[in-house]
Amino acid sequence: MKRAYAAGLVSALALSVVLGAPAAALAQEAPAAAAATRTYSAAQFFETTSFGMSAGAGRAFSPDGAHVLMTSDASGVFNAYAQPVAGGDPVPLTASTTSAARAVSYFPADGRVLFSQDGGGDELDHLFVRELDGSIRDLTPGERLKADFVGWNTDGATLYVAANGRDPAAFDILAIDAATYDSRIVFQNPGGLQPVALSPDGRWLVLDRQISSANNNLYLADLEQGGEPRLLTPHEGDVAYAAYDFTPDGKALLIATNETSEFDEALTYDLATGQTRPLIRADWDVSFVTYSPSGRYRVSGLNADAKTEVSLIDTTTDQPVALTGLPDGDVGQVRFSQDEARIAFTVSSDTSPADVFVADLATGQARRLTHALNPAIDESDLVEAVIVRYPGEGGVMIPAVLYRPKGASAAHPAPAVVLVHGGPGGQTRRGYSAMIQHLVNHGYAVLGANNRGSSGYGKTFFHMDDKAHGEADLRDIVAGGDWLRQQDWVADDQVAVMGGSYGGFMTAAALAFHPEAFEAGVNIFGVTNWVRTLESIPAWWGAQRDALFDEMGDPAVDAERHRRISPLFHASNIKRPLLVVQGANDPRVLQVESDELVAAVRANDVPVEYVLFPNEGHGFTRRDNRITAQEAYLAFLDRYVRKTGD
């Protein structure tokens, strides 16, 4: 429901919370001595393997129940794997050495597999089939086309895909025969509508029409009867809606709305009567709700202060399912076998990346199938985060995720980094991050700030920076640096700012508009020229483009403000060292954004370092590139913040 220009740089599951911890309390909680902590290289952190489950609408279990479909970067590039449920090594299903190939779904009746892949980070994903003989077929061929898997028909004979091959700005729904691969358009999108949910029988399609960043409507189309989509959410004023999913019987739709609350609550909408009833309401956003194939089990998640709290409920008893044999951490990505005998899921924490587990629902006994953390790294050397809040402009309290390095004390103060998430409406969350843990392991404190405009803290906080980006929200980041300097265990002359995408913009803006606030900045594919960036948004963004314009301002009428907040046009103010990291194939923040900023700052006779990856887009998917980038971050910070020299 919360629209964001780019995924947040830090996004993961999380646990434990410390609200508003005062500086004195934090100072008293001195970590263990630094001498007891081993340090590890960037390569060792990124030799940790990333695991993820198949797409939410996909079949994660093979038809015989013997394997779980997952995505892993064990080869150095993300590929699809079949993980034996009985245990053992995963079986590679794809062998990409270039762009990420991500698992989507097993076919319901056999061992064929769906996976998605783009062109080296250009985000123009196609859907592919891995046939039983290992050959690969592109189900959605075409130039400049983007396709997304929507779901399977209940009988498994048809799969549904959203694709913009007919019109780059409109995603039609295609029905593809699972046996012959013949396809037909079952919904021709008139434009301005985004498909968001399809009923299990393939009859009902829910579409989203974005009006503004705070306001949208849901529509329902009957694909059997045809006709115009009808409005599901008549309302007055600004109200945000989203469709979680249909119930398995196809009789009701699960809807999110913030109409009567600061936060998203879950409702059920009866398709026959049009009546809604409350399902889940909390003091945090309900992030997702879904059901097992028969509807016996319900899975839901709350975005609780930068962590995800997952509930697995047996609806026949209305009681939670107790799982045993799990390590401490957060459960996520729950997938059911078709017979509902088992679930597959991930468990992760601040110090442990996501591992895949399976559990028998009759007994609740869970078993680990993967080991993500590099065995060369002792988990006890890594650092748990805490949640803090510090005052921003006007007394607004800014939530933040704080990682304090072991051994940091008044006698041995640590250098620090204010980390800014992407978005603009993203959220810095708790959970394992190789990037953060590597910096902390090398002695840097990291404060992941959630400046005003961040999602997860209610609609008022989320909309505080609408059409005012780069102003009070930027000063919240500067205030984060000030707060760090007030901690007696932080070196007050060694604080940097760092971020990706919108966070990269905030980094460059901090150096340009608050040139004395930080010792250095690390800009990872950040926007530098908002006029050009907003004008170059891809057509397939559709109505989301209009919502972004509502939040950021329309370049046709707000170009003067966009120029005023764009660091490129004020680069002459930058006097502190800058590192820029960019993917050449980035469709969201074009390479020219970084090229021009680097040239402009170098003209100031200011130290600038530039790392450009020719085979990456908006985010780095290749392990070798992530290691190179991480080594550059640490070397740059050591040189210009800790000032250790070359």
Side-chain angles (χ1 to χ4, degrees):
M1 181 181 298
K2 304 301 186 187
R3 303 299 180 191
Y5 180 65
L9 182 66
V10 181
S11 178
L13 299 180
L15 54 156
S16 73
V17 178
V18 176
L19 296 180
L26 289 170
Q28 293 169 3
E29 298 169 6
T37 302
R38 285 158 290 188
T39 57
Y40 303 97
S41 68
Q44 286 175 305
F45 274 100
F46 283 98
E47 281 161 10
T48 288
T49 306
S50 296
F51 294 105
M53 302 296 293
S54 62
R59 306 283 182 98
F61 283 86
S62 58
D64 62 5
H67 292 86
V68 171
L69 186 62
M70 66 181 189
T71 301
S72 170
D73 66 348
S75 69
V77 176
F78 284 100
N79 276 286
Y81 291 82
Q83 171 63 50
V85 170
D89 293 334
V91 179
L93 301 176
T94 62
S96 176
T97 59
T98 54
S99 58
R102 300 186 185 275
V104 171
S105 178
Y106 272 111
F107 276 62
D110 56 54
R112 287 176 293 167
V113 168
L114 284 173
F115 68 94
S116 66
Q117 190 170 7
D118 73 357
D122 63 7
E123 301 185 16
L124 297 174
D125 302 277
H126 287 212
L127 274 177
F128 297 84
V129 177
R130 184 189 186 273
E131 302 282 7
L132 296 177
D133 63 3
S135 61
I136 303 298
R137 176 195 292 260
D138 187 349
L139 280 186
T140 54
E143 296 293 325
R144 308 305 298 170
L145 173 145
K146 182 176 175 64
D148 292 309
F149 176 69
V150 175
W152 291 98
N153 192 289
T154 306
D155 61 14
T158 304
L159 65 107
Y160 298 94
V161 175
N164 65 346
R166 181 187 60 83
D167 179 349
F171 284 87
D172 298 328
I173 300 297
L174 311 181
I176 301 178
D177 188 285
T180 66
Y181 303 131
D182 291 337
S183 68
R184 58 190 175 91
I185 295 178
V186 293
F187 176 76
Q188 183 167 304
N189 196 334
L193 296 169
Q194 182 72 22
V196 290
L198 184 68
S199 62
D201 59 5
R203 177 177 180 180
W204 301 104
L205 175 68
V206 181
L207 302 123
D208 183 322
R209 184 185 295 278
Q210 201 70 29
I211 301 169
S212 72
S213 62
N215 193 16
N216 71 306
N217 272 311
L218 298 179
Y219 291 79
L220 187 68
D222 186 337
L223 302 188
E224 288 185 0
Q225 301 299 322
E228 293 294 317
R230 62 181 177 87
L231 179 64
L232 286 184
T233 54
H235 65 278
E236 296 181 358
D238 286 341
V239 181
Y241 297 92
Y244 295 119
D245 202 356
F246 283 88
T247 54
D249 60 12
K251 294 181 179 180
L253 175 67
L254 307 174
I255 291 177
T257 181
N258 63 4
E259 183 172 13
T260 61
S261 169
E262 275 289 313
F263 298 96
D264 297 343
E265 62 179 311
L267 311 173
T268 58
Y269 176 92
D270 188 289
L271 295 176
T273 67
Q275 298 298 306
T276 61
R277 61 180 179 83
L279 181 63
I280 303 172
R281 184 168 186 168
D283 291 332
W284 298 102
D285 286 331
V286 180
S287 301
F288 59 86
V289 185
T290 189
Y291 284 87
S292 63
S294 76
R296 175 176 175 176
Y297 300 99
R298 185 181 76 228
V299 185
S300 61
L302 298 180
N303 181 4
D305 213 6
K307 68 173 185 175
T308 300
E309 294 180 350
V310 175
S311 297
L312 173 60
I313 302 295
D314 185 335
T315 61
T316 64
T317 63
D318 203 32
Q319 294 298 311
V321 176
L323 300 179
T324 60
L326 295 179
D328 290 339
D330 286 350
V331 172
Q333 297 184 295
V334 179
R335 306 286 186 264
F336 290 86
S337 61
Q338 194 58 30
D339 63 4
E340 298 183 352
R342 291 190 180 111
I343 56 172
F345 54 94
T346 59
V347 179
S348 64
S349 69
D350 291 340
T351 59
S352 177
D355 271 311
V356 178
F357 288 73
V358 292
D360 186 314
L361 287 176
T363 65
Q365 181 62 44
R367 290 185 293 110
R368 180 194 296 263
L369 297 182
T370 66
H371 294 272
L373 187 65
N374 184 347
I377 296 177
D378 186 333
E379 189 175 344
S380 66
D381 291 326
L382 306 185
V383 172
E384 292 276 353
V386 295
I387 303 300
V388 299
R389 282 171 166 78
Y390 64 85
E393 185 169 293
V396 175
M397 296 305 292
I398 306 302
V401 183
L402 176 66
Y403 295 81
R404 174 176 174 170
K406 295 185 178 185
S409 66
H412 301 283
V417 174
V418 178
L419 182 66
V420 194
H421 62 66
Q427 183 186 23
T428 297
R429 298 172 55 76
R430 292 193 57 178
Y432 184 80
S433 164
M435 181 193 76
I436 291 174
Q437 289 289 354
H438 176 251
L439 293 178
V440 176
N441 181 246
H442 284 260
Y444 286 86
V446 175
L447 181 73
N450 282 306
N451 52 273
R452 70 192 70 200
S454 301
S455 57
Y457 304 99
K459 59 189 178 185
T460 299
F461 191 84
F462 180 70
H463 292 291
M464 274 186 175
D465 65 347
D466 286 0
K467 294 185 179 175
H469 295 82
E471 298 177 20
D473 60 346
L474 177 59
R475 293 189 286 274
D476 290 340
I477 299 306
V478 173
D482 294 339
W483 183 87
L484 281 169
R485 291 184 186 90
Q486 293 166 13
Q487 314 310 307
D488 66 1
W489 52 271
V490 172
D492 59 12
D493 60 346
Q494 298 179 20
V495 180
V497 61
M498 176 179 183
S501 190
Y502 186 80
F505 153 68
M506 294 279 268
T507 295
L511 297 187
F513 300 113
H514 301 271
E516 304 290 341
F518 296 99
E519 275 61 59
V522 179
N523 168 10
I524 308 166
F525 45 78
V527 177
T528 66
N529 178 349
W530 278 109
V531 178
R532 177 172 50 215
T533 295
L534 293 171
E535 289 176 344
S536 64
I537 293 172
W540 52 265
W541 275 54
Q544 293 183 35
R545 174 179 178 272
D546 297 333
L548 181 64
F549 284 3
D550 176 73
E551 183 175 351
M552 290 294 306
D554 188 332
V557 296
D558 295 313
E560 181 179 348
R561 195 185 78 83
H562 293 153
R563 187 178 181 89
R564 176 165 54 83
I565 68 170
S566 294
L568 178 63
F569 304 118
H570 307 274
S572 61
N573 297 334
I574 295 177
K575 59 180 68 176
R576 295 291 169 84
L578 173 66
L579 169 64
V580 177
V581 187
Q582 174 74 40
N585 299 329
D586 194 330
R588 302 187 181 213
V589 179
L590 305 180
Q591 179 187 329
V592 66
E593 298 270 319
S594 293
D595 291 347
E596 291 181 350
L597 181 67
V598 167
V601 178
R602 281 179 177 161
N604 299 342
D605 199 25
V606 169
V608 181
E609 298 180 12
Y610 190 17
V611 178
L612 178 66
F613 295 117
N615 51 2
E616 296 284 9
H618 201 71
F620 308 140
T621 61
R622 294 174 58 97
R623 178 182 290 138
D624 57 345
N625 291 339
R626 282 178 280 156
I627 293 170
T628 298
Q630 190 69 31
E631 290 172 339
Y633 305 151
L634 181 60
F636 175 83
L637 292 170
D638 280 350
R639 186 175 301 119
Y640 296 110
V641 178
R642 200 187 322 233
K643 300 179 178 66
T644 57
D646 293 327

